[in-house]
Amino acid sequence: MANLNILLVGVGGQGTILASKILTHAALAQGYTVKMSEIHGMAQRGGSVVTQVRLGEEVYSPVIDEGEADIIIAFEQLEAYRSAHFLREGGVLIANTQKISPLPVLIGAATYPDTILANLKDKVKRFVEIDGLKLAAAAGNAKSTNVVLMGVLARFMDFPQEVWQDALKARIPEKLLALNQKAFAFGYDYPGVAALLETVAGKE
Amino acid sequence: MKTLMTGNEAIARGAYEYGVRVAAAYPGTPSTEILENLAKYPEIYSQWSPNEKVAMEVGVGAAIGGARTLVTMKMVGVNVAADPLFTVAYTGVRSGLILVSADDPGMHSSQNEQDNRYYAAFAKIPMLEPSDSQEAKEMIGLALDISEGFDTPVMVRTTTRIAHSQSLVELNDPGERPLKAYAKDAKKYVMIPAYGRARRLVVEERMHKLAEYAETVSVNRLEMNDPKIGIITSGISYQYIKEGLPTASVLKLGLTNPLPAKLIQEFASKVEKLYVIEELEPYLEKEIRALGLEVTGKALFPPYGELSAKMVREKILGEKNAQILPFEAPVRPPVMCPGCPHRGLFYTLKQLKLTVAGDIGCYTLGTMAPLEAMDTCICMGASISGALGLEKAHPEMAEKLVSVIGDSTFLHSGVTGLMDVVYNGGNSTVIILDNSITAMTGHQENPATGKTLMGTPAPQVDFVALAKALGIKRVTEVDPFDLDHVKEVVKTEVAAKEPSVIITRRPCALIVKTSEPPVEVHDCTACKMCMKLGCPALSFDEANKTAVVDPSLCNGCGLCVNVCKFNALSKGGAN
Ligand SMILES: Cc1ncc(C[n+]2csc(CCOP(=O)(O)OP(=O)(O)O)c2C)c(N)n1
Ligand code: SF4
Ligand code: SF4
């Protein structure tokens, strides 16, 4: 297989780091070479966080270039918008519908675009929009939104279920495991994904 | 066993495996995690120093003492440490001494983009540049060998993408941790001019030997492929070339000072078109040209920012990428946390319309809207001394002028500035923002926090006593959440006809979490006063004309309660 480029974007505190750890754990278990790059300097101060994961037989650059991400998992709408130019043609964009206003918006110096999802849907053929927060809450803890999104991601990858389950076990503390497994399943079984897989398959 | 590691973790692992005994550093992105990881190995003594010069000197002492030693810092830290560095290059070492300089192309978290490879050339010390985490680990071993074999400090230069990217590392068991006996050797270690002149010759001879060594050392290697395109490179750029131009021939340089002239010439003679691809300055390029070779480098690539595989493809092959989605999103700048102890002070400084000589730390965010209360920020420590200069240029400004500096920054290089203010009759007001931690770089201990890197209790610097000892007569401590008091004190001290120090005391909101419930909003008059605080937990609902508190973010600090003149904001659970 050609190298797979996966970009995780979000806002500090949304759990992108744990998500990327689950992903890299699974990829390593599948025998891939993995590189991951993170710009997290200001994560604690509410800035954007970007984690880039590249996997394949042989991976050199740890960085994903514009127009070269196979999959983008955006934990927040504005960040989906900001990072969309990284997506390759035919790539998958998974957008959590949660909105977190940046300070310029909070203080009225900028407005939060209200057409993000519509615009993305318009331009990106393989677009999944999902209220991960709601599904995570239903699974037992809103903080598991990241794991819901990993469940969605899993649908677009060919790793066996056990590999994902092992990765969850390895990366999530015992007492939170059950609810995160549930969150993962909610993402994996998200109806929006199935529909998308079909329409895309139908179109191609 | 192979595990994913950042470059920084790998360097720490290398120090562990290759027998390092002593490590010293001052935090700074992207170098900080090296010592944080090293501190997990109890067999190695590691410490945060108050600044990089001190860390370097601790390292020099330990290496002269016969222990393998690691000193780490971000690139601007080397400016601070340059003084001992340039002279330990003369004395040499007894046991291995490594300086890790972590550069930041792209300025992800730095105030400039300096290319520290020039420091190695300038100081006449060997330099290694790893291209991934495995190399970062191995190069710690190689650097120690070179350091001991050639009796010289060695610089290992990383960049953000090496330091913060993860790749697979093979772990080995640690070797022995040797300690040589100490013996006095004044002619080698006392750099009076007479001895220094002798050592100066040793340095030249050593560089010649190292240049020979560079020709054969395994980290300088030819990867011959299609001879049409030949590329000389080092560090992270190597990965971009392998990714973007898999068929090109490459001369990968791991030891980049001194350079292997013969190897470079040999490579040049084997390829049809010679390129040099390096981030930042034309460091390699100029040396290659000096060998009389024709080479293309900065004619194609910018001397600033980061490179990428895509850029390499575009510039060398003229390939253009497919179309890019065209969206533009409003920026998401970092902001002070909800409940940050710095916020209220900057709100007050703005209200009082003061000129603020700033410094580096979380509080530098006070320059962003809506606070916008900072006039300058140059380097660590420059607030106090810079304010003194401003005051000397414009004596009338003294009554409108304050400098602001964090606890860690004050200890790093603010103390001498304050001494200068007293000594040379300055009149400005210095505000030390004591949040009891080095927050900006991810919360490290410092000499005022009462704890060391390895977790042992330590005495705490007493800022009040220190300021008084320097000759400041007016020293006031305030709680930065008590806005009325802060305003009163700042007004009084700025007006005073002598220098003064104000210390704001409140721990960082991420270190000491409050148990206060979130603030509640009742009958908001829509004056929007609270929006001037720039708290990310506060927003304004234009449709319903009311302030809104996000209870999941609010830490209940009460700052906005103090700011609201109409009692529309109240402490949660109060009524
Ligand atoms: C010479 C140098 N070393 C290190 C850094 C990285 N750095 C920036 S601010 C800072 C310390 C900030 O701590 P403090 O002054 O206590 O302020 P806080 O962030 O806690 O508000 C450090 C280490 C730097 N910019 N320059
Ligand atoms: S980390 Fe601490 S000092 Fe820095 S912005 Fe947050 S609360 Fe303030
Ligand atoms: S009390 Fe007010 S200022 Fe403090 S964190 Fe909550 S909303 Fe922000």
Side-chain angles (χ1 to χ4, degrees), chain B residues 462-540:
Chain B
D462 178 341
F463 289 124
V464 176
L466 177 57
K468 290 201 165 150
L470 290 174
I472 300 280
K473 297 201 184 74
R474 306 177 67 93
V475 184
T476 321
E477 293 174 88
V478 296
D479 174 355
F481 286 160
D482 187 348
L483 279 183
D484 291 339
H485 188 223
V486 170
K487 193 167 170 181
E488 222 21 72
V489 169
V490 173
K491 267 167 122 173
T492 312
E493 295 311 318
V494 169
K497 300 277 182 236
E498 58 176 313
S500 42
V501 166
I502 302 170
I503 304 163
T504 65
R505 291 219 197 261
R506 265 283 172 173
C508 163
L510 295 189
I511 293 297
V512 177
K513 312 249 183 207
T514 62
S515 49
E516 297 292 325
V519 159
E520 290 167 6
V521 190
H522 301 283
D523 307 323
C524 173
T525 64
C527 76
K528 294 194 185 175
M529 201 60 183
C530 59
M531 297 313 297
K532 297 193 170 145
L533 286 170
C535 173
L538 280 172
S539 57
F540 191 79

Side-chain angles (χ1 to χ4, degrees), chain B residues 220-270:
Chain B
N220 290 341
R221 65 167 190 262
L222 285 183
E223 293 180 9
M224 285 311 293
N225 225 321
D226 183 350
K228 276 207 197 68
I229 296 176
I231 301 172
I232 302 176
T233 191
S234 66
I236 190 68
S237 304
Y238 170 77
Q239 307 293 357
Y240 300 147
I241 292 159
K242 296 298 278 186
E243 189 78 40
L245 301 170
T247 61
S249 293
V250 179
L251 172 57
K252 181 190 188 300
L253 297 175
L255 177 60
T256 47
N257 190 54
L259 288 171
K262 284 179 229 150
L263 192 62
I264 291 171
Q265 265 151 343
E266 182 195 333
F267 181 67
S269 72
K270 285 183 174 166

Side-chain angles (χ1 to χ4, degrees), chain A:
Chain A
M1 129 185 154
N3 287 351
L4 197 61
N5 298 332
I6 303 174
L7 196 65
L8 295 93
V9 298
V11 179
Q14 282 196 297
T16 49
I17 307 258
L18 175 64
S20 64
K21 280 186 176 158
I22 294 168
L23 170 59
T24 54
H25 189 100
L28 288 173
Q30 278 292 86
Y32 287 116
T33 293
V34 176
K35 284 197 180 176
M36 171 161 128
S37 185
E38 242 160 23
I39 293 300
H40 53 62
M42 286 299 218
Q44 284 172 319
R45 320 298 177 285
S48 306
V49 278
V50 176
T51 303
Q52 330 199 10
V53 179
R54 304 196 63 227
L55 50 118
E57 302 300 325
E58 205 163 32
V59 180
Y60 289 104
S61 170
V63 183
I64 298 171
D65 286 319
E66 292 185 343
E68 299 196 346
D70 297 288
I71 305 175
I72 296 179
I73 306 140
F75 287 51
E76 195 271 348
Q77 282 196 33
L78 198 59
E79 297 312 307
Y81 218 37
R82 192 188 311 292
S83 64
H85 64 283
F86 279 95
L87 198 67
R88 73 161 165 80
E89 264 207 87
V92 178
L93 177 54
I94 301 165
N96 185 23
T97 55
Q98 191 178 350
K99 285 185 181 183
I100 301 175
S101 293
L103 197 66
V105 170
L106 293 178
I107 63 172
T111 42
Y112 196 108
D114 53 11
T115 56
I116 293 180
L117 296 175
N119 292 355
L120 289 174
K121 198 181 283 177
D122 183 42
K123 293 270 188 242
V124 181
K125 258 204 284 178
R126 309 180 76 188
F127 177 68
V128 183
E129 100 188 53
I130 178 169
D131 188 345
L133 200 63
K134 198 164 106 193
L135 291 175
N141 190 340
K143 289 211 168 105
S144 300
T145 307
N146 52 358
V147 176
V148 172
L149 296 174
M150 296 318 285
V152 180
L153 171 69
R155 275 305 276 284
F156 292 96
M157 300 183 64
D158 60 3
F159 297 1
Q161 260 299 330
E162 317 85 79
V163 169
W164 289 109
Q165 290 304 326
D166 289 349
L168 292 178
K169 271 182 215 136
R171 292 296 175 185
I172 291 168
E174 178 88 48
K175 65 178 196 308
L176 297 174
L177 186 60
L179 83 89
N180 277 288
Q181 283 169 328
K182 205 163 157 191
F184 185 86
F186 281 177
Y188 195 85
D189 298 330
Y190 182 57
V193 179
L196 181 100
L197 290 173
E198 273 165 35
T199 55
V200 170
K203 267 185 206 168
E204 277 169 359

